[in-house]
Amino acid sequence: MAKELLKRNEVKKEFTWNLEDLYADIPSWENAVREIQEIASRLEQMEGKVTESAESLYSTLSQLEEMGKKTDPAFNYAERLSDQDTGDTTHLAMSQKLRSIYTDISSRLSFIDPEILELKQETLEQYFTQQPKLEGYRKYIQEIQRLKPHHLPAEMERLLAMASEMSNVPEETFAVFNNADLKLPEMTDENGDSIRITHGRYLPLMESSDRRVRREAFEKMYQTYKQFENTLASLYSGQIRQLMFYAKARKYPSTLQAAVNRNNVSPEVYDNLVATVNANLDKMYRYVRLRKRLLQVDELHMYDVYTPIIPDASRKVPYEEAKKTILKALAPLGEDYIRLLEEGFSNRWIDVYENEGKRSGAYSAGAYGGHPYVLMNYDDSLDSMFTLAHEMGHSLHSHYSNTAQPYFYSRYKIFVAEVASTCNEILLMEYLLKNTTDTKERAYLLNHYLDSFKGTVYRQTMFAEFEKKTNAMAEAGESLTAQVLNDVYYELNSRYFGPDMVSDPEIAREWARIPHFYYNFYVYQYATGFSAAVAIARNILQEGAPAVARYKEFLSGGCSQPPVELLKIAGVDLETPRPIQDALDVFGQVLDELEKLV
């Protein structure tokens, strides 16, 4: 009989996040939601009067800020409850209720930005003089003005806001299907025991030294998705169509330009990434050849991608050991950083282990005015330790920004979201490499470093190219059927892995299980973030305190400056291909060392 996961109420409290730090109970959350609605009702009375005077503009923006400070924890509470057990319909209903309320509020208050945009600049400057507290909102107003070409009259803004709830349906439906409804099959593990494949168990199965286990997990995973590929193609096509709707409505030439402009990033940054990685595929092909040689196989298959190529060097990393190692590895970031890490580890910021119905993967979620929360599905592997360091990087980035910035400037842009998390991973890797004297362990770690590059720079850029291609196809009027998506994905996979990899037919359906394809051109930022993090981590280890100070200035920046400018503070300019090329050169250097060691 297959070993099943623990139910949520069977998980030890110490391994769950403490949502009582947000609200004592659900009635307290309901009171907060009512307060949000009351503020929204007061703000609704400002229609036609937002810019009537300096005082009315200040009153509008200060109330909007107050509402935001209450909305952040309310969303955090509902979403965390829902994610810890996606099968709990009460918590799912709370999340859906709040999303519905927020959509309604966004619709009712959609007049605010258009009224601000109608205000003459000279009058605005007078208002700053008449009400000095307005100065705190200057950058917020400037950001509204930056997007003026893409703003619409108030009635049209109201319609777009009303449509946003249904535009989330593809993402929400995929999440419910993937996390709650999809039942993956059973298989036989290395010990001859029957186990059920889950999202959390899939990677450990793919890391198995038993090739039969890897192949069986791989084939059964994609056979399952094949059963639903037409439905999933329809969902993904629906996701792109809603992006096209908003891009056209806001007068953008493409969905890609709409997505990057939202973060104040140039499309050239995206194109630089794809072009530079494609120009360095020879390094990826070298890595694939090395993997094939070390695994001693006649053919290297896609189910051989994750298994360690250094035999007998992998080991279990229990959660308690992982926390201690991470604290030592991140010590170069200073005592204040370590104190915050210890607080997160000790005070239940983290939901540690997989349970039945729990959302797959890992993330960090921050809310202004409180501590962040981290979702893990920890499995005692080296990968899980790196993931824990990664997510705590996100969390401390949120903490620094939330502490240093007023609410409107606290939320860092998605474009820089992966920098702090990946910097932590690289510092952890450098620490582990520095503290091993065992040749086999060093080779194992070097391979893990290469796998991080493969998974974050090469793989995520392949994902980014898939998004770009499929969006462009839809914009050209092509139909995105399951077969079309399979063909596009298979061609990219074959190109990125090269001639020494057998691209098994099943891999064509990998697109069908990637939740990030519903995040609106998110994945390229993993690769740009990784590249920036390589540079920052190396500066920290080489320069010490001055580089740490620059880095913490970046961490504390929130969205007070454009993201590319904030990265320049930390010493990285992503408007050029150089950081990407420099990172890929490091990949080549690590590959050189591993080839010599083995």
Side-chain angles (χ1 to χ4, degrees):
M1 185 176 179
K3 183 180 178 182
E4 298 294 345
L5 294 169
L6 291 176
K7 295 187 185 303
R8 181 65 187 182
N9 60 11
E10 297 170 337
V11 180
K12 288 183 180 178
K13 186 176 180 181
E14 67 202 81
F15 298 124
T16 64
W17 46 29
N18 185 9
L19 298 182
E20 291 178 5
D21 287 347
L22 288 167
Y23 301 102
D25 48 33
I26 291 176
S28 301
W29 174 82
E30 290 171 338
N31 287 335
V33 173
R34 279 192 289 272
E35 290 174 4
I36 292 166
Q37 291 173 296
E38 288 167 5
I39 298 171
S41 295
R42 291 200 301 270
L43 275 167
E44 198 174 7
Q45 304 308 309
M46 296 299 297
E47 184 165 11
K49 298 178 280 190
V50 172
T51 59
E52 205 170 54
S53 65
E55 196 54 48
S56 66
L57 181 56
Y58 172 72
S59 175
T60 299
L61 294 178
S62 60
Q63 287 185 82
L64 202 60
E65 182 175 30
E66 181 190 358
M67 186 175 70
K69 288 178 180 179
K70 290 182 180 294
T71 302
D72 260 20
F75 264 113
N76 210 351
Y77 188 71
E79 298 289 333
R80 304 299 73 79
L81 280 174
S82 180
D83 286 350
Q84 70 188 28
D85 183 357
T86 58
D88 188 314
T89 54
T90 299
H91 298 156
L92 178 62
M94 287 170 61
S95 175
Q96 291 174 337
K97 173 186 175 182
L98 191 53
R99 284 175 181 263
S100 181
I101 288 170
Y102 189 73
T103 299
D104 177 57
I105 289 173
S106 298
S107 171
R108 287 156 52 202
L109 302 184
S110 58
F111 60 86
I112 294 175
D113 286 3
E115 289 191 32
I116 291 173
L117 287 172
E118 289 175 7
L119 188 63
K120 291 180 180 177
Q121 190 62 35
E122 60 185 75
T123 307
L124 180 60
E125 292 301 330
Q126 290 171 6
Y127 283 180
F128 284 128
T129 303
Q130 293 166 11
Q131 174 48 277
K133 290 181 181 178
L134 257 181
E135 193 63 43
Y137 299 105
R138 181 183 284 273
K139 288 180 181 178
Y140 178 80
I141 294 170
Q142 287 173 340
E143 180 66 6
I144 294 172
Q145 291 172 327
R146 182 183 74 81
L147 295 169
K148 185 174 182 176
H150 308 289
H151 270 288
L152 303 173
E155 275 304 311
M156 293 182 72
E157 286 291 342
R158 184 173 285 114
L159 274 174
L160 288 186
M162 288 169 63
S164 66
E165 187 173 12
M166 65 180 179
S167 72
N168 290 329
V169 167
E171 178 190 349
E172 291 173 358
T173 304
F174 176 81
V176 170
F177 166 81
N178 210 39
N179 295 314
D181 289 348
L182 183 67
K183 197 80 167 177
L184 293 166
E186 294 181 12
M187 64 169 289
T188 306
D189 68 11
E190 298 95 329
N191 303 315
D193 296 328
S194 179
I195 64 164
R196 183 172 299 284
I197 302 170
T198 67
H199 293 298
R201 289 173 180 162
Y202 182 65
L203 184 58
L205 288 168
M206 294 300 288
E207 291 173 338
S208 171
S209 59
D210 187 331
R211 203 178 194 201
R212 192 272 311 163
V213 169
R214 301 197 302 270
R215 184 175 63 250
E216 186 176 346
F218 176 82
E219 290 175 349
K220 287 192 171 183
M221 171 68 82
Y222 290 110
Q223 284 165 5
T224 304
Y225 278 92
K226 182 180 181 180
Q227 297 173 41
F228 304 101
E229 65 179 356
N230 293 317
T231 298
L232 292 166
S234 179
L235 278 179
Y236 181 61
S237 179
Q239 168 70 7
I240 293 179
R241 285 201 299 271
Q242 65 95 2
L243 295 180
M244 288 167 58
F245 167 76
Y246 281 103
K248 288 176 182 175
R250 295 205 173 278
K251 305 170 189 173
Y252 286 102
S254 70
T255 54
L256 173 59
Q257 286 180 282
V260 297
N261 190 52
R262 182 184 58 177
N263 289 319
N264 204 357
V265 173
S266 163
E268 281 71 33
V269 172
Y270 199 104
D271 294 335
N272 273 340
L273 170 69
V274 173
T276 308
V277 169
N278 271 272
N280 285 269
L281 288 177
D282 59 314
K283 297 181 179 69
M284 181 64 166
Y285 299 167
R286 273 178 58 202
Y287 169 76
V288 169
R289 282 196 296 274
L290 178 63
R291 173 167 281 274
K292 181 179 179 180
R293 171 167 70 83
L294 292 179
L295 288 178
Q296 299 179 340
V297 293
D298 294 330
E299 290 184 339
L300 189 73
H301 286 260
M302 291 307 300
Y303 46 80
D304 298 319
V305 168
Y306 296 103
T307 189
I309 58 176
I310 311 300
D312 306 320
S314 62
R315 61 183 177 86
K316 292 289 186 183
V317 186
Y319 181 61
E320 292 302 320
E321 180 187 337
K323 291 191 292 184
K324 291 174 184 175
T325 304
I326 289 167
L327 288 168
K328 292 175 186 174
L330 301 185
L333 293 175
E335 292 181 6
D336 60 327
Y337 196 96
I338 295 302
R339 277 197 303 272
L340 284 167
L341 270 179
E342 290 173 333
E343 182 183 336
F345 287 153
S346 303
N347 293 335
R348 292 175 57 209
W349 291 12
I350 306 164
D351 205 84
V352 182
Y353 297 114
E354 186 179 16
N355 59 253
E356 187 177 304
K358 184 176 176 180
R359 175 175 164 154
S360 62
Y363 64 67
S364 168
Y368 196 82
H371 66 74
Y373 287 89
V374 169
L375 180 136
M376 289 287 299
N377 283 279
Y378 197 87
D379 64 5
D380 289 355
S381 66
L382 185 69
D383 269 324
S384 269
M385 177 167 69
F386 274 93
T387 301
L388 180 60
H390 180 104
E391 299 306 337
M392 290 305 286
H394 283 308
S395 289
L396 268 64
H397 191 178
S398 296
H399 173 85
Y400 277 104
S401 284
N402 288 347
T403 303
Q405 298 294 335
Y407 174 76
F408 276 154
Y409 310 135
S410 64
R411 189 169 297 173
Y412 49 81
K413 296 286 188 183
I414 294 296
F415 182 74
V416 295
E418 298 303 329
V419 175
S421 53
T422 310
C423 186
N424 274 10
E425 286 196 71
I426 293 167
L427 290 172
L428 174 58
M429 175 57 74
E430 295 290 350
Y431 171 83
L432 293 172
L433 286 169
K434 184 179 179 182
N435 286 278
T436 183
T437 55
D438 182 82
T439 301
K440 183 175 282 188
E441 185 178 10
R442 183 171 187 83
Y444 180 83
L445 290 168
L446 288 170
N447 178 62
H448 192 279
Y449 204 176
L450 291 174
D451 281 346
S452 295
F453 273 95
K454 171 182 66 68
T456 310
V457 180
Y458 284 102
R459 179 175 166 83
Q460 300 300 331
T461 303
M462 183 179 81
F463 285 174
E465 200 169 345
F466 176 79
E467 279 192 273
K468 186 179 179 182
K469 280 178 175 287
T470 52
N471 274 259
M473 290 167 70
E475 287 168 333
E478 296 183 47
S479 179
L480 298 182
T481 63
Q483 188 59 55
V484 167
L485 293 171
N486 290 346
D487 290 346
V488 172
Y489 196 89
Y490 189 82
E491 185 278 324
L492 284 168
N493 191 84
S494 301
R495 171 152 51 90
Y496 272 74
F497 280 93
D500 287 283
M501 174 68 77
V502 175
S503 284
D504 302 278
E506 291 89 349
I507 201 63
R509 297 181 183 86
E510 188 173 37
W511 62 268
R513 71 178 189 90
I514 307 298
H516 291 76
F517 287 153
Y518 294 84
Y519 296 177
N520 191 10
F521 291 97
Y522 185 99
V523 293
Y524 85 101
Q525 295 158 134
Y526 283 114
T528 54
F530 189 98
S531 301
V534 168
I536 291 169
R538 296 216 155 189
N539 288 342
I540 287 167
L541 294 174
Q542 290 167 8
E543 294 180 39
V548 172
R550 292 196 304 271
Y551 180 53
K552 286 181 181 170
E553 185 179 350
F554 158 76
L555 291 180
S556 302
C559 60
S560 60
Q561 295 184 51
V564 171
E565 297 305 313
L566 283 170
L567 278 173
K568 288 177 183 176
I569 293 171
V572 178
D573 184 359
L574 279 168
E575 290 181 321
T576 73
R578 182 175 173 180
I580 313 297
Q581 186 60 57
D582 285 351
L584 291 169
D585 287 344
V586 171
F587 178 78
Q589 292 159 15
V590 176
L591 185 56
D592 289 341
E593 183 180 352
L594 183 59
E595 285 173 333
K596 289 173 186 173
L597 268 181
V598 297

